[in-house]
Amino acid sequence: MFDFAVFGSLFLTLFVIMDPPGITPIFLALTSGRPVKVQRRMAWQAVCVAFGVIAIFGICGQQILDYLHVSVPALMIAGGLLLLLIALDLLTGKNDEPKQTKDVNVALVPLGMPLLAGPGAIVSVILAVQKADGAAGQVSVWAAIVAMHVVLWITMRYSLVIIRVIKDGGVVLVTRLAGMMLSAIAVQQIINGVLQVVAAA
């Protein structure tokens, strides 16, 4: 009742796309300056949001995209633009949102989506669910999705120890580094979307 090949393939694909090690500096930058309990809650919320989005698209993703007449490249470009806006805020050090609102937004956007549950992860899950044969294949696919989100939660949950070590100066450095990395990810995502549009034309 379990296909290890399907599990391993999807888990590795999601690991590369969702990139738990790479999300660490971005998570630290977006949650710096908050109480530890709030940071832990935000890590949990981000993972729950990502899993919810992935699960919804895994169950009826193709139908949603078809109904809205949205193509995968359009989804990639939109996600890239959203990430680019967040990256610019990190690079310029803008911090003028109300704290409570910002806490909620950071956990939902951009952490939950589109950083974790981005277009790449969504498309990979849609394809994996469609290709899975029988009950064993479906169980393996969903086990890989759950395992990936457990890894993401553990990574963000214990990355908070880094904040206590690097102090405020280090947090500023990590924030700028995260902004630069995030802007590169965003631009690459936009380029990939544009290239797919051109190739399909």
Side-chain angles (χ1 to χ4, degrees):
M1 288 296 294
F2 196 85
D3 191 328
F4 285 98
V6 172
F7 173 88
S9 176
L10 181 57
F11 181 84
L12 288 176
T13 299
L14 290 178
F15 190 92
V16 171
I17 293 173
M18 302 177 94
D19 191 17
I23 203 70
T24 299
I26 299 172
F27 174 75
L28 293 176
L30 292 172
T31 61
S32 63
R34 295 173 173 82
V36 175
K37 287 184 178 180
V38 173
Q39 292 172 322
R40 290 175 179 170
R41 186 175 72 244
M42 290 170 68
W44 175 250
Q45 287 174 340
V47 170
C48 288
V49 168
F51 179 78
V53 171
I54 291 290
I56 290 172
F57 277 93
I59 295 170
C60 53
Q62 193 60 56
Q63 291 86 342
I64 293 174
L65 293 180
D66 291 343
Y67 177 77
L68 296 175
H69 303 290
V70 174
S71 65
V72 172
L75 192 65
M76 295 177 69
I77 294 171
L81 290 173
L82 179 59
L83 289 181
L84 189 58
L85 291 175
I86 303 297
L88 291 175
D89 281 348
L90 291 177
L91 284 170
T92 56
K94 289 184 178 179
N95 190 22
D96 53 4
E97 293 182 87
K99 191 173 186 301
Q100 185 177 1
T101 303
K102 188 176 180 183
D103 285 346
V104 175
N105 285 345
V106 166
L108 304 180
V109 178
L111 279 177
M113 184 178 180
L115 272 178
L116 299 182
I122 289 172
V123 172
S124 297
V125 168
I126 291 175
L127 294 177
V129 170
Q130 289 177 348
K131 292 179 181 178
D133 295 326
Q138 292 293 335
V139 169
S140 304
V141 165
W142 288 101
I145 293 171
V146 171
M148 186 66 249
H149 284 80
V150 170
V151 170
L152 285 168
W153 177 77
I154 291 173
T155 302
M156 291 190 291
R157 167 70 173 75
Y158 290 99
S159 67
L160 299 177
V161 178
I162 300 174
I163 289 182
R164 300 179 201 142
V165 176
I166 62 178
K167 307 299 182 184
D168 291 341
V171 168
V172 173
L173 178 61
V174 168
T175 300
R176 300 297 182 268
L177 175 62
M180 185 171 62
M181 291 171 53
L182 194 55
S183 62
I185 292 171
V187 170
Q188 185 62 56
Q189 190 164 298
I190 294 171
I191 291 172
N192 291 342
V194 172
L195 289 177
Q196 288 192 25
V197 171
V198 173

